[in-house]
Amino acid sequence: MKMTTAAVYIHNRMLMIAFFMLLIRNLKNISLGTLGYEHEESGLKICKQQYKRGTMLPSNDTLNIDVSTETECILLKPKELTGKKAELKLNSSFFSLEFYRLIQVEISFKLKGIALQTIHARELPDCYAFQNTITFNNRAHSGKIKVYFDSDTEIQECKDWHIFNSVLQKNTQYILVFDGFVILSCLASLILCTRSIVLAWRLQKRFVNFFLEKHKRRVCYADRLEFLNGWYVLVIISDVMTIIGSILKMEIKAKNLTSYDVCSILLGTSTLFVWVGVIRYLGYFQTYNVLILTMQASLPKVLRFCCCAGMIYLGYTFCGWIVLGPYHEKFEDLNTVAECLFSLVNGDDMFATFAQIQEKSSLVWMFSRLYLYSFISLFIYMILSLFIALITDSYDTIKKYQQSGFPATDLHEFLKDHSSAGYRKDRTSFPLICCCRRQQSDDNLILIN
């Protein structure tokens, strides 16, 4: 969906009629794409919404109006806009607009098109249906009519297509085979990682019960998390999203589905997780492992700090929306205010934010200065500095531990005391299939990093 906005300050009936005629009669000539109306009987549907009746005399402050609304619609077909019939149609009373009664005019029309770009990529073309709406919004009656253009796109299967001298079908089959291989690989990875998580959870329960029976105290939460491998969880999420996204992609390639947005989100996010997972292998080097350990150590403190800073941020967001909303376009709604304040925290667009505040009210202008100066000073000079200090402190702590050794936990002491206990292994002359002859009792043994 695409939305564009413009504004109209004067009314001219002939300009609006000319706009309608140009849009209908010359669509194929003015359009750069392969567009056309859905069928010959389709065209522009124009609906105007207005108050039922009323009179208004601004000169003597007289207003008499019925607030109940009425809606009238008319359908303009391309065939009707030729010759004298067009003049009769466009000169009808429907286009006599009384702007003090007018609420909005909505023009809706449906177009269809064919995307030929995919042919160059050796794919089957797509057929699109566009539901377009042009809205002239006069609800404010402020002398300015806002014009909105909204377009909803629906991808459809082409009903009748013939492509000559092409190898589209063969390439499509190759891609589907590759997608199937990706699904099988991710499914195998998903099963193995899930199995590892289940075995680790069982071993964690056994360790907790053993520690409680022997030492009469519970294992701390940090030691319990040692059994959960976060990289496996990340791989599981990535595999699930890749499998679902690949299935959707295969259906889209076969022109059975048109869920492009869902497919792109799943495959894009899974790709992100895959590249993040590559950091795991860098952790085997001490120099690169500092980044991972610093992120792990600073994450709890950073989350607690963000919760406190978020309360202050929300307070400034609501305050700016309530006070500065009528005077500044960046403070008209909560979402825009939050984006504006986040830009200010990063040092972006500061002068424009200060300069665009209207000076109609001296009190509001003074408040806006106090509001912006206090927010920028608090977040840039104090909160961001504390945020960086938390991460720096965690980095210094990790560097110190790497030099003098990490503090031993109950789990590490337990592993150190039982390091002499070895794994039972069967001697075999077939080392490549030794894992197939593994004893059932070894399922509860995992390596704790």
Side-chain angles (χ1 to χ4, degrees), residues 154-188:
E154 180 183 357
I155 304 175
Q156 301 177 345
E157 182 180 358
C158 295
K159 296 180 180 179
D160 187 16
W161 51 270
H162 300 280
I163 302 175
F164 304 99
N165 299 325
S166 177
V167 290
L168 299 180
Q169 195 67 27
K170 178 182 278 189
N171 290 326
T172 302
Q173 292 176 355
Y174 289 156
I175 295 175
L176 293 178
V177 170
F178 176 77
D179 291 335
F181 174 76
V182 171
I183 292 175
L184 292 177
S185 301
C186 292
L187 186 61

Side-chain angles (χ1 to χ4, degrees), residues 331-370:
F331 292 84
E332 290 181 352
D333 55 78
L334 282 174
N335 185 42
T336 307
V337 176
E339 293 173 354
C340 176
L341 294 182
F342 187 78
S343 298
L344 291 177
V345 170
N346 292 277
D348 185 24
D349 209 21
M350 286 190 179
F351 178 77
T353 305
F354 277 94
Q356 291 178 6
I357 295 180
Q358 303 176 12
E359 300 184 17
K360 293 182 179 180
S361 175
S362 301
L363 180 61
V364 174
W365 186 86
M366 291 295 297
F367 178 85
S368 67
R369 264 46 190 173
L370 177 64

Side-chain angles (χ1 to χ4, degrees), residues 190 228 305:
L190 174 63
L228 179 63
F305 180 80

Side-chain angles (χ1 to χ4, degrees), residues 73-335:
C73 295
I74 188 174
L75 180 63
L76 299 181
K77 301 178 182 179
K79 291 183 178 181
E80 297 177 350
L81 296 179
T82 56
K84 294 183 179 181
K85 195 174 182 180
E87 297 181 3
L88 295 175
K89 194 80 171 179
L90 297 176
N91 289 327
S92 63
S93 60
F94 178 85
F95 293 99
S96 298
L97 303 177
E98 297 176 336
F99 283 86
Y100 73 93
R101 295 173 52 202
L102 182 66
I103 298 176
Q104 72 175 19
V105 176
E106 186 176 277
I107 309 169
S108 58
F109 55 99
K110 191 171 184 179
L111 302 175
K112 285 197 170 184
I114 301 175
L116 300 179
Q117 180 182 3
T118 55
I119 294 181
H120 299 287
R122 296 182 177 180
E123 297 180 9
L124 296 176
D126 292 322
C127 293
Y128 294 85
F130 303 94
Q131 182 61 48
N132 306 296
T133 303
I134 302 174
T135 304
F136 296 85
N137 191 341
N138 192 39
R139 293 182 180 274
H141 289 88
S142 59
K144 178 177 70 172
I145 299 179
K146 292 186 176 180
V147 183
Y148 300 95
F149 175 74
D150 185 18
S151 179
D152 290 329
T153 306
E154 180 183 357
I155 304 175
Q156 301 177 345
E157 182 180 358
C158 295
K159 296 180 180 179
D160 187 16
W161 51 270
H162 300 280
I163 302 175
F164 304 99
N165 299 325
S166 177
V167 290
L168 299 180
Q169 195 67 27
K170 178 182 278 189
N171 290 326
T172 302
Q173 292 176 355
Y174 289 156
I175 295 175
L176 293 178
V177 170
F178 176 77
D179 291 335
F181 174 76
V182 171
I183 292 175
L184 292 177
S185 301
C186 292
L187 186 61
S189 173
L190 174 63
I191 294 174
L192 293 176
C193 290
T194 304
R195 175 182 176 277
S196 299
I197 293 293
V198 172
L199 292 179
W201 180 73
R202 291 179 180 176
L203 182 59
Q204 183 248 348
K205 289 185 63 177
R206 292 185 58 187
F207 175 73
V208 170
N209 294 332
F210 170 81
F211 211 80
L212 184 61
E213 294 176 359
K214 185 174 182 179
H215 299 281
K216 306 300 180 183
R217 57 191 179 92
R218 296 184 178 276
V219 180
C220 65
Y221 186 71
D223 283 346
R224 293 186 180 187
L225 288 180
E226 288 283 346
F227 291 88
L228 179 63
N229 194 323
W231 297 113
Y232 287 165
V233 177
L234 187 67
V235 171
I236 290 174
I237 298 174
S238 175
D239 288 338
V240 171
M241 299 181 75
T242 302
I243 292 172
I244 299 175
S246 297
I247 294 175
L248 292 178
K249 180 173 175 287
M250 294 173 68
E251 291 296 321
I252 291 173
K253 286 288 184 183
K255 304 303 178 182
N256 295 326
L257 289 178
T258 57
S259 305
Y260 280 90
D261 294 337
V262 178
C263 179
S264 61
I265 291 174
L266 290 174
L267 293 180
T269 308
S270 63
T271 304
L272 170 64
F273 288 161
V274 168
W275 282 102
V276 171
V278 175
I279 303 178
R280 172 192 180 188
Y281 301 100
L282 298 178
Y284 292 107
F285 304 95
Q286 184 175 1
T287 305
Y288 298 103
N289 196 35
V290 175
L291 173 62
I292 303 174
L293 296 177
T294 302
M295 293 174 62
Q296 292 177 348
S298 61
L299 183 61
K301 295 184 288 185
V302 167
L303 291 178
R304 290 192 293 267
F305 180 80
C306 289
C307 289
C308 298
M311 298 299 104
I312 304 176
Y313 189 85
L314 286 176
Y316 270 94
T317 301
F318 281 101
C319 178
W321 174 54
I322 295 171
V323 179
L324 303 179
Y327 300 92
H328 201 297
E329 62 179 4
K330 294 183 179 180
F331 292 84
E332 290 181 352
D333 55 78
L334 282 174
N335 185 42

